[in-house]
Amino acid sequence: MNRRRDFIKKTALGALIPTTGLPLYKTGQGKIRQTDYSELDRILEEPVLDLSALKEPVILESVELLRFEDNFLCRVRTKDGAEGLSVGNNFQMVHLYPIFTNRIQPFFIGKDVRNWEQLLEEVYVYQSNYKLQNLAFWVPLATLEFAVLDLLGKLSQKSIGNLLGDVYHSEVAVYQANNYRGKSALESVERIRQNVEETQARALKFKVGGRMSKNADYPPGRTEELIPLVRKTFGDDMVIYADSNGSYTPDEAIRIGRLMEAYRYDFYEEPVPFDWYEETLQVAEALNVPIAGGEQEASMHTFRWLIQHDALQIVQPDIYYFGGMVRSMKVAKMAAAKGKECTPHISGGGLGYLYMMHFVSAVPNAGPYHEFKGFNNELPLECPTSPLTSEGGVVKVPTGPGSGVIIDPDFINKHKEVV
């Protein structure tokens, strides 16, 4: 069932009283808004993890980054021999592993990870790590967090989703993500059709524009032909999303967005470059198709602005790029307070799809469909509580302790510690 933007755009405020102490914001359309962040700020102060079952300290005796070829694992161990394991975002870690070993690993050895949320604040300042903010810092830190959550889940006999809060979704419906830029509209739609058949997904997302291309299409004319063609090919019942990866200036983004509206698209992702915040708001105010974004965002403060000012209707933190599930859950909760959905972006490779499912399971305002780029069949693992396959476009979330999967010990032993 197609979702439509269900919020009413706010009208300009009347006369504002300067003595309120609240910041004022003037939009691109000349509206004046009085900004009250108190509700979102309360959410940011609330703890995310439920670690009440852990009465004794959980001290990390070792933090290891392990590598076999271009696959990275993180293994944490306590003095009592408990262990947590994660799989990194290998596309990024192959470049970023020195930040893990030099700027993150030393800080956490000897720490009680029941205090994880406070430690996130402290490591951000440690050795001026805040100067590295963005993927360079947050991807290695997320790799560690997933291993710590695996450890804490095993110790408390809870799934990662249960550590993050109540589990609202035992299954996750997926949308099939595709990227066939460079192909003609006809070739693109045929490849999309084949992908959808493989997963039986009831929703899909494809790329428009040329990716941060200043309005250039790739190839020329592809987008305007493809938008109606995808709807015609898949029919009215298919949920369809489109992602421009910041391809457009505001005027062109609005023009393309109106074409999506004509063909009843369900969200429009990153219509302008990701850090064009006022321009994102300008596009959102001009269109009725919901605007999605946040994949590239590294700042909690900026998500706060985007949510408060209605620049996004759907927030998409990437749980690797944004530094883990704890930070991403704060974004989801801010979005929920303003009646918005959270549909996290998923990085390809590793066990990104598994971590996404655990995260989504605990998000009450999760969107109806979530990004899927394929299962990683190269990792030898077992999952006693889920087949980890897409049946009718739906994947069952594992319920075992921690991540709920067991990686083949022989495969782990092939990895050598990165020092």
Side-chain angles (χ1 to χ4, degrees):
M1 185 169 105
N2 292 340
R3 293 179 299 104
R4 297 291 171 249
R5 185 171 178 174
D6 59 1
F7 65 94
I8 300 174
K9 295 176 182 176
K10 298 175 183 174
T11 58
L13 292 176
L16 299 175
I17 302 172
T19 56
T20 59
L22 299 175
L24 306 183
Y25 175 72
K26 186 173 182 179
T27 73
Q29 296 184 352
K31 301 180 195 175
I32 301 294
R33 293 179 179 174
Q34 185 177 20
T35 306
D36 181 358
Y37 287 108
S38 58
E39 183 180 17
L40 301 186
D41 288 342
R42 282 194 299 271
I43 291 168
L44 292 177
E45 291 299 318
E46 295 171 355
V48 171
L49 296 175
D50 178 8
L51 302 177
S52 57
L54 299 176
K55 306 301 183 184
E56 300 298 326
V58 182
I59 307 296
L60 293 188
E61 184 174 51
S62 65
V63 175
E64 300 172 289
L65 186 66
L66 309 174
R67 180 176 185 175
F68 171 62
E69 297 177 345
D70 284 340
N71 188 75
F72 289 85
L73 304 176
C74 177
R75 182 168 61 197
V76 294
R77 287 174 170 153
T78 70
K79 292 182 178 180
D80 299 327
E83 181 178 297
L85 196 69
S86 74
V87 180
N89 180 322
N90 297 320
F91 298 131
Q92 304 297 336
M93 286 297 287
V94 71
H95 306 292
L96 302 178
Y97 65 85
I99 293 175
F100 185 103
T101 56
N102 296 329
R103 308 293 285 273
I104 293 174
Q105 182 183 44
F107 173 83
F108 283 96
I109 295 174
K111 297 294 195 302
D112 181 354
V113 288
R114 294 180 305 164
N115 302 321
W116 182 256
E117 295 181 53
Q118 179 59 37
L119 294 174
L120 286 177
E121 301 292 332
E122 294 175 8
V123 73
Y124 183 59
V125 186
Y126 174 73
Q127 293 188 356
S128 298
N129 280 330
Y130 59 86
K131 296 180 183 292
L132 301 174
Q133 167 152 260
N134 219 303
L135 271 71
F137 178 66
W138 294 123
V139 169
L141 185 57
T143 302
L144 174 60
E145 180 179 279
F146 300 157
V148 168
L149 293 179
D150 185 47
L151 167 70
L152 294 172
K154 290 173 180 174
L155 289 173
S156 60
Q157 289 298 293
K158 291 183 176 183
S159 69
I160 288 178
N162 272 130
L163 289 177
L164 296 169
D166 295 330
V167 170
Y168 296 91
H169 314 287
S170 60
E171 297 179 329
V172 173
V174 300
Y175 70 77
Q176 182 65 55
N178 306 275
N179 181 11
Y180 295 119
R181 285 193 180 104
K183 308 293 183 185
S184 69
L186 286 173
E187 185 175 355
S188 295
V189 81
E190 175 57 24
R191 291 181 180 227
I192 294 169
R193 186 188 62 77
Q194 293 172 5
N195 293 149
V196 169
E197 284 182 358
E198 290 174 6
T199 58
Q200 303 173 318
R202 291 170 290 179
L204 65 89
K205 184 176 80 175
F206 66 97
K207 304 289 190 178
V208 297
R211 183 184 293 272
M212 302 288 283
S213 61
K214 299 181 179 178
N215 297 335
D217 210 358
Y218 184 50
R222 173 181 179 270
T223 292
E224 288 173 276
E225 183 180 354
L226 190 55
I227 288 173
L229 183 58
V230 170
R231 176 58 74 195
K232 179 180 178 182
T233 300
F234 292 97
D236 290 339
D237 291 336
M238 179 65 80
V239 172
I240 300 176
Y241 308 135
D243 180 6
S244 97
N245 292 114
S247 292
Y248 304 121
T249 58
D251 288 347
E252 182 67 359
I254 291 168
R255 187 182 75 83
I256 295 296
R258 287 186 175 138
L259 185 60
M260 293 181 195
E261 289 176 347
Y263 289 94
R264 303 174 309 283
Y265 275 45
D266 294 273
F267 75 55
Y268 183 9
E269 184 175 338
E270 281 191 356
V272 297
F274 62 90
D275 55 354
W276 290 19
Y277 303 120
E278 293 184 7
E279 291 86 348
T280 300
L281 176 58
Q282 179 184 344
V283 173
E285 290 183 326
L287 296 174
N288 290 319
V289 60
I291 302 302
E295 165 192 349
Q296 311 294 346
E297 189 51 57
S299 166
M300 189 75 73
H301 206 73
T302 302
F303 263 122
R304 173 178 172 266
W305 186 95
L306 292 165
I307 291 167
Q308 178 69 36
H309 291 291
D310 241 0
L312 298 176
Q313 288 71 61
I314 299 164
V315 296
Q316 297 177 298
D318 183 297
I319 56 176
Y320 271 113
Y321 298 170
F322 196 60
M325 298 188 210
V326 169
R327 282 169 48 83
S328 298
M329 187 59 74
K330 289 180 180 287
V331 173
K333 289 183 174 183
M334 285 194 293
K338 298 298 182 181
K340 303 176 186 297
E341 291 179 356
C342 178
T343 302
H345 179 265
I346 178 176
S347 311
L351 287 180
Y353 71 91
L354 175 69
Y355 301 136
M356 178 274 288
M357 290 192 296
H358 279 298
F359 175 75
V360 167
S361 74
V363 175
N365 56 318
Y369 299 96
H370 294 273
E371 189 159 23
F372 181 73
K373 296 177 178 176
F375 298 106
N376 187 342
N377 296 318
E378 297 176 1
L379 276 172
L381 55 80
E382 296 179 6
C383 183
T385 59
S386 170
L388 294 182
T389 58
S390 173
E391 301 291 339
V394 175
V395 185
K396 187 177 185 296
V397 182
T399 57
S403 68
V405 301
I406 304 165
I407 300 176
D408 184 350
D410 291 337
F411 178 71
I412 296 173
N413 291 336
K414 291 181 180 180
H415 294 67
K416 304 299 181 185
E417 185 175 5
V418 179
V419 295

